Structure formats: C-alpha cells, structure tokens
Amino acid sequence: MTMVPRDCRLFESCVLLWSDLVVWSEHLLLKKLVRCVKEKGVQLLCLAERHSAHETQQLSSAARAHKTELSQSLQQLSEQAKAMTEYIQLVKGSGDKINDSCEELERQIDQACAEVARAIDRRRDELVRAARNTRSQAIANMRSLTSHAAQKLREATALLHFSIEALKESDHAAFLQVGSILSARAQETASGLCSSLDPPPSPPALTLDIEPVIRTVRTMNFVECIPPGAPEMAVEACAARGCSCTLAWRAPPQPAAVRGYVLELDDGLGGPFREVYCGRETVCTVDGLHYASLYSARVKAFNGAGEGPYSEVIGLQTSPVAWFAWDARCAGAEGALTLSADGLSARAAGWQPRVVLADQPLARGVHYWRLRVDSYDGDADPAFGIARADVARDKMLGSDALGWAMYIDGSRSWFVHGGAHGGRAAGGIASGRTVGVLLDLTRGTLRFAVDECAQGDVAFTGLRGAFYPAVSLNRGVAVTLEPGLQPPPELLLSTLAIE
C-alpha cells in the first residue's frame, strides 16, 4: 500500500474547492446575464477582442425568423404525415383487395380443375365406348370365322360319313360308279379345307397414351390477367415495294404476356382500318395493294385478358407507277396464244382473236404503258386497252361491255366498247411502232398514242374501279409490253387542254 503525504492530500482538497468555486461563479454570472437580457433586451456582445467583428441581431427578430422557419418545417412535416396516413390506408385497402383476389383465384382454380376433370371423364367415356366397340367388332369377326369354319367342318364330316358308308357297299359295280368321284371329292376337300380359313383374330394391340395429358397438366400455370401494352412499330424495317408492303413491330414491354398481334391497314385513302393479319409473328408482308396510294398501318397485342392499345400509326407509300406482266394463265393450251418466259411478249397464231390480260389490276393513280409491235402484216385486227377480269377471251377486245380498247390497222383506228365503234382517227401501225395507253384513274379517262403522239381525242371517260391492261391479238401479231413508264408530256397537256 502506497502512503500519500498529508500535505499532498490537503493541496488536492484546496484545488477541488477552488474548481467548484469557479464553476459556481460562472453559473451565477450566466444567470444574471440571462435575467438582464430578458428584462432590458440588451444585445449580446462579444467582450473578447478576437470576436469583435461578429454581427449582432435583435433577439425579437431572430426569434421571429426561427419561428417562421419552424412553422414552415412543421407545415411540411404535417403534409408528409398526412400523405403517410393516406398511404397506410391505401396499403390496408390493397390488402383487402389481395385477399378478395386470392379467394377469387382459388375459386377459378377449383372451377378450372373441375372442368378439366369433367373433360377427362367425357374422354374416358368416349375411349371406353371405343374399346367396347373394338371388342364387339372383334367378337363379331371371331363368330363369323367360327361359323365359316364350322360350315366347312360339317361339309367335310358329311362327306366323310358318306364315303365310309360307300366303303361298306358289297356291290362292286355300284361302288365303282361312285368310288372314283368320292375319292376325287375327298382329295379336293382335304386340300382346301384348311387353306381356305383366315387366320384367327388377334387381340387389339392398343394402349392409352396419357403422356400428353400429364405434360399439359404439369404445365398448367397462371397467366396475366391484364391486357398487354402497345407494341412499337419497327419503322426501320417497314418498307413498301411495288404494290406490297412489309411491316414489322416490337413486342410491348413486360410484364403482361402476349398471345398474338392484330395488324390493321386502311384503304389507302384515309378510310377505316381493316384487319389484314392475326398471329404470333412480329413481321408481315401484305400483297395486292393499290399503286400510287398512301396506306396507314397500326398493330395491337392481345392475351387472355383482352386487347391492348394500338401502336403509333405509320404511313407507307406504294409505287407511283405500275409494274406488271402478262398473266401466264391467258396462254392458250392449243397454242393459239403464246407468252415469253418473262411474261412481257405475246404472240397470236390463229385467226380467232385472243385476249391477254396483265397479272394485276390498276385501281388508282395515273399509269402509262407501251406495247411495241414486233410482228404485223397489215391484215390482222389487234386491239389495245383495258378490261375487267371476266372479259370475253375469244373475241376482239371491246366487243363486250367489259372491255375498252382502240382497234387499229395499218392506216386508221377506232375506239371500241360494248361492240360499238367510234372516234375514227387517221394513222396506223406497222412492225417496230409502239402503241401507248394512258389510264388516268384520277380523272377516269383513257387515251391512246402511237409512237408517243396522241391518237385521237380522249377515248373513254367515267372509268371507275379496277381495270387490267389488256390486248387482243390474232393472225401472227406479236407485241412486247413496256410497263411503268412516265406519260409523254404532250399527251398529258393535250388531255388537260381537252378538259
């Protein structure tokens, strides 16, 4: 044990007494200062020289500023507390909805499983009936075979008994009369008795394949109960070529599942949309559109819960000029009309006119095409123009009401429709010359040209609907089609002047 000198203990006591006295003095001084501030509203000044640059402020102003700041903070806190209260109520309400939804889901599961069980029971009854029918048919077949074999056996047994009785005959002359016959009959019966029998029926080699059903049952799962979102059109992959267009789109964002898509297209004139595709693919090519038309397209997705919203609408412009060839189905089987491999050249061999149509119709826009005369002897009757799909194929074009044509020979031409001729004009054709056809479906007019010069006035007006470029040939006339051309300016200007 270490001993502390008495003088040291006395010194420590004095130090502690002095520290307490200093603290007590500071405390009294602080209380006096605060009381003075409250009574007289003096300003707090820094007495130390190093704090002499501090800014001072009236206590009332500082208090008001802090009260204002505190009030704003309390207001914000109150609003957040109110929002939190609403959130708690919302969460509690969603909990009730979750319970109701789960209970409804359980009922749906019970109903679905019950429906599956009923379907299995129905299929079981069908399979049992099929098995019983198979058994009945097999038994009937077995009975038929048994009856047939029993009949053969009875016949053989009867022959056997009769032959045994014949062997007992003591009259040799009488036996010789029937012995050889019975011997031949016995040999024939013995050789054909078993060979004529069909093999016995075997039990049906069938078993029940339940693997697909088990696999389907195991894959039963929940599906989304909300419709999918809007697909996004893949504009960079969409294009129009000729009279067809290719459209592509991207699947809508998750989480909603997608079972398929519905693609819709308008009529190219701003009319109502119509469905052109329904399936799971995200790309589709639509053929058979009109030339010189601006089509609008949109797509939507669907699942078991319903259809989602449409995508953005995009526009696709088909080709302003038409590219077509002769329809290969117009070639005659007897060789009266032949077409080239590329479908552009046509030649007739017989005296009877033969009509050949283009492979696609025209219903909109302004179209101009030429037919170069490759062969013509001056005695044939070619006619150039347009026709409906069911025009008469064994008459000159324009002989019925479904054809509009210009009949031309080596020196003059006529306009022909419904068998009526009119609009005679001077000037004919020869080998190497061209006949141009200008179909303006915007104005509903049809004009003709020979070597790019107008042949007569406007031939026909009031044309509406779909028309096929057409020509009728006979007696060795051969022409080559030149589609997709720009109309001669003189022909267009003369048409406008006539109007």
Side-chain angles (χ1 to χ4, degrees):
M1 179 177 181
T2 304
M3 300 298 293
V4 179
R6 182 179 180 182
D7 295 338
C8 291
R9 291 196 299 270
L10 180 60
F11 178 76
E12 290 178 356
S13 300
C14 292
V15 170
L16 293 174
L17 182 59
W18 177 254
S19 298
D20 293 338
L21 181 61
V22 171
V23 172
W24 179 76
S25 300
E26 290 179 350
H27 179 67
L28 290 178
L29 181 61
L30 181 61
K31 290 179 63 177
K32 184 177 180 180
L33 181 61
V34 170
R35 185 170 59 252
C36 181
V37 168
K38 288 182 178 179
E39 293 176 356
K40 299 182 178 180
V42 299
Q43 296 181 352
L44 293 176
L45 301 176
C46 242
L47 300 179
E49 293 181 358
R50 64 178 180 272
H51 298 292
S52 60
H54 285 186
E55 295 181 0
T56 60
Q57 185 180 7
Q58 290 287 340
L59 287 176
S60 58
S61 300
R64 284 195 299 271
H66 285 289
K67 286 182 180 180
T68 301
E69 182 180 358
L70 179 59
S71 298
Q72 293 175 353
S73 300
L74 293 177
Q75 179 67 24
Q76 184 178 3
L77 180 60
S78 175
E79 293 177 355
Q80 293 298 324
K82 181 179 178 182
M84 183 59 69
T85 302
E86 295 176 353
Y87 171 76
I88 293 173
Q89 297 297 328
L90 180 63
V91 171
K92 290 181 178 180
S94 64
D96 297 337
K97 293 180 180 179
I98 290 174
N99 292 331
D100 296 341
S101 177
C102 290
E103 292 176 359
E104 177 63 24
L105 183 59
E106 291 179 4
R107 286 193 293 270
Q108 292 179 4
I109 293 173
D110 292 338
Q111 294 176 358
C113 292
E115 181 62 28
V116 172
R118 287 193 293 269
I120 292 176
D121 290 338
R122 290 193 296 268
R123 187 57 180 166
R124 172 190 173 277
D125 295 339
E126 294 174 358
L127 293 174
V128 168
R129 285 195 298 270
R132 291 175 179 175
N133 291 336
T134 301
R135 181 182 63 182
S136 300
Q137 185 177 359
I139 292 175
N141 188 24
M142 180 187 65
R143 289 175 178 174
S144 176
L145 294 177
T146 302
S147 176
H148 179 70
Q151 179 64 27
K152 291 290 185 179
L153 181 59
R154 285 193 297 269
E155 294 176 357
T157 302
L159 178 61
L160 181 62
H161 289 315
F162 183 80
S163 299
I164 292 174
E165 293 297 327
L167 290 173
K168 298 177 181 179
E169 180 62 47
S170 58
D171 187 352
H172 300 294
F175 177 76
L176 290 175
Q177 290 179 356
V178 297
S180 60
I181 298 175
L182 291 176
S183 178
R185 181 69 181 276
Q187 292 177 3
E188 179 183 357
T189 302
S191 62
L193 184 61
C194 293
S195 61
S196 63
L197 299 178
D198 295 330
S202 58
L206 298 175
T207 185
L208 187 60
D209 183 15
I210 63 172
E211 181 60 29
V213 179
I214 298 299
R215 186 165 55 250
T216 302
V217 171
R218 288 174 179 171
T219 57
M220 290 175 59
N221 208 337
F222 301 108
V223 296
E224 293 290 342
C225 60
I226 57 175
E232 179 185 359
M233 298 298 297
V235 181
E236 69 280 358
C238 299
R241 299 178 183 87
C243 59
S244 65
C245 67
T246 299
L247 294 150
W249 56 91
R250 300 182 185 90
Q254 296 298 331
V258 176
R259 290 189 181 180
Y261 302 92
V262 175
L263 176 64
E264 296 182 352
L265 212 65
D266 71 350
D267 59 356
L269 296 174
F273 284 90
R274 58 185 177 89
E275 180 181 321
V276 295
Y277 170 76
C278 181
R280 300 184 63 87
E281 299 295 331
T282 57
V283 62
C284 177
T285 298
V286 183
D287 299 319
L289 303 178
H290 295 294
Y291 286 99
S293 300
L294 178 60
Y295 286 90
S296 296
R298 64 184 184 183
V299 65
K300 62 182 176 181
F302 65 87
N303 59 16
E307 297 177 344
Y310 285 102
S311 67
E312 61 177 342
V313 177
I314 65 169
L316 292 169
Q317 176 71 52
T318 55
S319 175
V321 296
W323 296 92
F324 51 86
W326 298 126
D327 191 342
R329 294 173 296 181
C330 295
E334 67 282 1
L337 184 65
T338 58
L339 302 178
S340 61
D342 59 5
L344 297 177
S345 297
R347 176 181 292 272
W351 290 84
Q352 184 70 22
R354 299 292 179 181
V355 174
V356 56
L357 303 179
D359 56 2
Q360 54 186 289
L362 306 176
R364 295 175 189 161
V366 179
H367 305 281
Y368 180 74
W369 63 95
R370 279 199 308 258
L371 297 109
R372 187 182 69 246
V373 180
D374 300 325
S375 177
Y376 179 72
D377 59 6
D379 294 329
D381 305 319
F384 307 85
I386 58 175
R388 303 289 191 187
D390 49 353
V391 66
R393 306 296 179 87
D394 56 351
K395 299 178 180 179
M396 186 177 70
L397 186 65
S399 297
D400 60 7
L402 302 177
W404 295 258
M406 178 184 71
Y407 155 69
I408 188 169
D409 57 17
S411 58
R412 55 194 176 277
S413 65
W414 293 267
F415 301 141
V416 187
H417 171 60
H421 295 66
R424 176 176 172 173
I429 59 171
S431 296
R433 305 192 72 176
T434 61
V435 175
V437 183
L438 176 60
L439 177 61
D440 187 346
L441 292 171
T442 304
R443 297 180 175 85
T445 60
L446 182 65
R447 291 210 66 179
F448 298 95
V450 175
D451 289 341
E452 306 291 21
C453 296
Q455 184 74 4
D457 297 330
V458 174
F460 302 102
T461 60
L463 300 176
R464 296 290 183 271
F467 302 91
Y468 290 82
V471 64
S472 63
L473 308 174
N474 67 335
R475 283 186 282 188
V477 179
V479 296
T480 297
L481 178 64
E482 299 176 359
L485 303 178
Q486 291 296 330
E490 296 80 4
L491 196 60
L492 287 176
L493 290 175
S494 61
T495 301
L496 295 175
I498 293 175
E499 292 181 356

